[in-house]
Amino acid sequence: MKEAGRTKSGKGNMIESKDLVHEYSRRDEDGNITGIIRAIDGVDIQVKPGDFIAVLGANGSGKSTFAKHLNGLLFPTEGTLYIDGMDTSDSTNALFVRQTAGMVFQNPDNQIIANIVEEDVGFGPENMGVPTQEILKRVEESLKEVGMFEYRRHSPNRLSGGQKQRVAIAGIMAMRPKCIVLDEATAMLDPVGRKNVLGTVLRLNKKEKITIILITHYMEEVVQADYIYVMNKGKVALEGTPGEVFREEGKLEECRLTAPQITQLVRKLRKANIPIREDIFSEEELIRSLLLFKKNGR
Amino acid sequence: MSIVLQNVSYTYRNDGNSVTQALSDINLEIHKGEFLAIVGHTGSGKSTLIQLLNGLERATQGKVFFQGKDIYSKDFSIKELRSKVGMVFQYPENQLFEATVIKDVEFGPRNMGQDTLQMELNSFQALKDVGIGEELLDASVLALSGGQKRRVAIAGVLAMQPEFLVLDEPMAGLDPVGRREIFALLQKLHKERGITIVFVSHSMEDAAEYADRVVVMNQGKIVLDGPPRKIFCYEKELERIGLGVPQATRLVHRLAEQGAQIEKDCLTVEESAAAILNWLQG
């Protein structure tokens, strides 16, 4: 691979943003600027290689604008963003940035282009100039990894939304990115589709050590993340581990987010003086704690 | 006053000439005044089903009655049906196309032939009902937020003064607060305007919280039909077809399975919390 552009920094982080600002300008019919919207307003984020990071936020919080910066679809208006040490605002880095951070978008129908599943997965590496034998190997591996190998000769338009998203993820994997960004990739899926896509992503993170940035407004999806950033009105309003973030009931409400039912139950029971831990996120753990309390009276 | 589907089936031909049966032998009566959720996983036939309700799709077998009249008979006015049964599709904001908010809302009633004054009044009232203020009437639809656009799209259907409002995944893509706002709007229309609400969803939480009747679909058939409390007793059956029950309900069911003497009939977080407290302190 060719050497990337000159500007390198970011202290060994996979992603590092410093005072990142993005402004959209609104124009009238003659192209005169009539207003400026600050979609991202001074965001500092650090992601280490291999991390599973979630960016939570309501509609209009700036999270999708942030996502588009991560693979160089948008450039900072102010501040800096380094992806694997490359400054995204340096245009000579664009190709390397996109190869480093692969994007999965919300609508599965907008990101599948070929008539056959395996051709779609091979499209990315083919464009990158990967040799044919290597493409075939990657397509097979990627499809097996997302559990879609048996559909390799199917037409994508016969697949369910969740299956299409997994094919899209396989297509990204075949390009061997160090980082995968999922921008509300589960928003259009039913519960089973969501579970399968999230399971796939989690496995890629644990097994292949791929850095994951999961962007969503479903708090249920982020309980397994290493670290969470909550965005509101273009700023990071709250950050921390799932335990640290989920306990901030008032702040989350301000950010237009709602905790999963298990968290809401835990809060209500604790308010009624039932001594269970506040960082319980799973059904199994809550049941265990409750049964133990019932048995021992504590 | 109701919509009745009688032995309705719907099949379509795929490009490879194989045939897919999207609906088979559906019998369903939607009564005026209901708040009905139609749930099912992707491909279960729920979207096809609702398109039969205002004659957008025609059943390949069986009959559909609106207020006792066969909608496929020659002298039945499909146009009138479409005004009485309003349809809001998935991501309806993608279908806004006029330059301003008010023009977009007026498009439907104008095409229905309402006279100008009536059309303006209805459109104005519809926007008021969905909570879009007067200051936005002449705004470009492009300048609105996602949630506002969706409400404008709903207003466009309301302006035709439907008796039934049918919505396909009205909360898809909205954040939790946005979802609550849309449902609060539907509840208001249901209560204050007496509009019958039919909504398609794959969220069992939403069905539990808002609907008074839930129809569960799987592979083109209705597999369960009843009030949410009754439906959620069938947890295993629901899980087998890729659905399940709300988290808080499932937790209480699990505790009962582990031998806890606990009230299992819980729909919401509040009810589940109360049941757990009762059991712990009992």
Side-chain angles (χ1 to χ4, degrees):
Chain A
M1 199 198 267
K2 265 194 309 188
E3 183 61 22
R6 291 170 300 275
T7 34
K8 282 207 163 202
S9 182
K11 301 171 206 147
N13 284 326
M14 181 58 65
I15 295 167
E16 172 154 330
S17 77
K18 186 92 189 93
D19 304 322
L20 185 69
V21 170
H22 190 86
E23 287 177 343
Y24 290 105
S25 33
R26 191 179 280 168
R27 288 165 196 275
D28 65 14
E29 284 160 7
D30 303 322
N32 302 310
I33 293 175
T34 58
I36 285 175
I37 298 162
R38 199 168 255 235
I40 303 181
D41 190 6
V43 164
D44 294 331
I45 280 180
Q46 290 100 34
V47 180
K48 289 196 287 296
D51 271 358
F52 180 175
I53 300 295
V55 179
L56 261 176
N59 299 124
S61 61
K63 62 187 192 304
S64 281
T65 303
F66 180 71
K68 292 192 180 93
H69 278 262
L70 297 179
N71 80 338
L73 288 173
L74 292 174
F75 306 105
T77 311
E78 286 169 33
T80 48
L81 175 65
Y82 293 100
I83 302 294
D84 197 19
M86 294 172 282
D87 185 345
T88 65
S89 49
D90 180 343
S91 59
T92 60
N93 283 336
L95 195 60
F96 299 97
V97 167
R98 290 200 185 135
Q99 285 174 9
T100 304
M103 281 279 259
V104 183
F105 295 97
Q106 184 182 118
N107 190 339
D109 292 321
N110 293 348
Q111 39 192 334
I112 298 215
I113 42 168
N115 295 323
I116 306 285
V117 165
E118 59 183 3
E119 282 175 14
D120 194 84
V121 176
F123 181 82
E126 198 176 342
N127 272 335
M128 289 165 63
V130 174
T132 311
Q133 280 311 312
E134 173 69 13
I135 295 177
L136 293 175
K137 196 175 129 236
R138 288 191 190 181
V139 168
E140 184 178 330
E141 279 173 13
S142 308
L143 280 172
K144 279 183 178 159
E145 192 62 55
V146 301
M148 289 297 292
F149 186 63
E150 66 213 86
Y151 293 91
R152 63 192 179 281
R153 304 222 190 276
H154 282 228
S155 158
N157 56 44
R158 286 272 162 268
L159 304 178
S160 74
Q163 290 173 327
K164 282 181 199 167
Q165 282 302 53
R166 284 190 279 156
V167 170
I169 293 173
I172 299 291
M173 283 175 61
M175 293 188 273
R176 297 270 195 271
K178 291 181 183 166
C179 176
I180 297 182
V181 182
L182 297 110
D183 186 8
E184 297 202 45
T186 61
M188 296 178 83
L189 308 182
D190 64 22
V192 176
R194 272 168 72 181
K195 214 160 131 189
N196 286 335
V197 168
L198 286 173
T200 302
V201 166
L202 203 63
R203 209 171 48 244
L204 288 177
N205 177 250
K206 299 282 170 268
K207 221 176 103 194
E208 310 286 330
K209 308 287 176 229
I210 296 177
T211 309
I212 301 289
I213 313 292
L214 179 73
I215 294 172
T216 179
H217 54 235
Y218 294 113
M219 286 181 65
E220 293 86 328
E221 297 184 350
V222 306
V223 295
Q224 308 206 57
D226 298 316
Y227 202 78
I228 300 172
Y229 292 95
V230 182
M231 287 190 70
N232 191 29
K233 297 179 181 154
K235 293 187 192 319
V236 174
L238 188 61
E239 62 179 277
T241 61
E244 288 162 356
V245 167
F246 278 44
R247 75 165 73 110
E248 300 286 341
E249 194 176 349
K251 275 195 190 159
L252 289 167
E253 190 71 22
E254 273 170 43
C255 297
R256 295 172 61 97
L257 296 168
T258 320
Q261 288 198 337
I262 291 290
T263 306
Q264 292 179 33
L265 261 180
V266 169
R267 281 178 190 160
K268 283 196 194 302
L269 294 172
R270 281 172 59 87
K271 271 185 197 142
N273 294 319
I274 306 296
I276 46 174
R277 287 198 344 267
E278 64 178 344
D279 59 344
I280 294 177
F281 303 123
S282 76
E283 192 180 291
E284 294 73 34
E285 216 183 332
L286 182 51
I287 288 172
R288 223 178 303 131
S289 304
L290 289 173
L291 288 172
L292 205 67
F293 173 69
K294 177 74 177 169
K295 201 168 134 207
N296 303 334
R298 56 160 287 125
Chain B
M1 289 287 275
S2 61
I3 304 174
V4 177
L5 305 189
Q6 201 179 72
N7 306 111
V8 161
S9 296
Y10 183 86
T11 50
Y12 61 86
R13 203 167 281 283
N14 300 309
D15 15 294
N17 256 345
S18 58
V19 170
T20 299
Q21 182 133 20
L23 295 174
S24 56
D25 200 25
I26 298 281
N27 284 294
L28 176 68
E29 179 165 6
I30 300 172
H31 305 275
K32 185 133 181 75
E34 280 183 326
F35 204 119
L36 173 71
I38 301 179
V39 298
H41 67 86
T42 315
S44 59
K46 55 196 195 306
S47 292
T48 306
L49 175 73
I50 60 167
Q51 290 184 45
L52 296 173
L53 300 180
N54 76 342
L56 275 177
E57 293 283 2
R58 199 190 160 103
T60 40
Q61 267 171 49
K63 283 183 170 164
V64 178
F65 296 94
F66 181 68
Q67 297 177 357
K69 288 183 208 145
D70 181 350
I71 73 164
Y72 300 139
S73 73
K74 274 203 189 90
D75 53 348
F76 184 84
S77 163
I78 278 283
K79 194 170 170 184
E80 199 190 315
L81 174 68
R82 298 236 167 102
S83 72
K84 297 261 173 68
V85 182
M87 188 76 69
V88 179
F89 293 100
Q90 257 186 61
Y91 293 89
E93 57 274 20
N94 295 341
Q95 297 168 31
L96 301 175
F97 68 99
E98 286 277 10
T100 67
V101 166
I102 187 73
K103 275 194 197 156
D104 205 283
V105 173
E106 285 174 352
F107 181 82
R110 178 182 287 127
N111 270 351
M112 270 172 50
Q114 288 182 11
D115 67 57
T116 310
L117 183 66
Q118 195 60 42
M119 170 198 83
E120 281 173 358
L121 275 175
N122 289 341
S123 304
F124 188 76
Q125 183 61 46
L127 281 166
K128 207 171 145 195
D129 282 343
V130 301
I132 296 286
E134 276 177 51
E135 72 282 0
L136 288 174
L137 292 190
D138 293 312
S140 159
V141 291
L142 298 173
L144 304 177
S145 75
Q148 285 173 327
K149 282 185 194 166
R150 186 159 303 181
R151 280 182 282 150
V152 168
I154 293 175
V157 176
L158 284 177
M160 294 188 270
Q161 304 222 288
E163 290 165 15
F164 292 77
L165 187 62
V166 183
L167 307 101
D168 195 355
E169 304 255 3
M171 50 286 161
L174 294 181
D175 60 47
V177 175
R179 294 166 85 96
R180 274 210 299 264
E181 286 168 359
I182 290 288
F183 273 113
L185 165 64
L186 297 182
Q187 283 179 315
K188 193 178 94 177
L189 293 170
H190 181 247
K191 217 163 131 192
E192 290 173 15
R193 306 240 160 235
I195 298 176
T196 306
I197 306 286
V198 178
F199 73 99
V200 164
S201 175
H202 43 232
S203 160
M204 300 309 267
E205 283 79 4
D206 289 342
E209 190 140 356
Y210 300 104
D212 53 34
R213 178 180 170 199
V214 180
V215 167
V216 183
M217 297 200 57
N218 187 42
Q219 296 182 340
K221 292 195 173 86
I222 292 176
V223 289
L224 290 168
D225 180 354
R229 243 169 243 292
K230 229 176 178 167
I231 297 292
F232 292 143
C233 298
Y234 296 91
E235 187 187 333
K236 293 279 168 298
E237 288 78 1
L238 289 168
E239 257 162 23
R240 206 175 315 123
I241 60 175
L243 289 170
V245 299
Q247 251 188 343
T249 307
R250 194 170 60 201
L251 188 98
V252 172
H253 288 184
R254 281 301 91 75
L255 281 168
E257 277 172 19
Q258 305 258 349
Q261 298 291 317
I262 191 169
E263 171 62 54
K264 278 167 66 182
D265 185 9
C266 300
L267 274 189
T268 59
V269 173
E270 286 71 25
E271 290 180 10
S272 295
I276 292 170
L277 286 173
N278 246 331
W279 160 65
L280 286 177
Q281 288 154 358

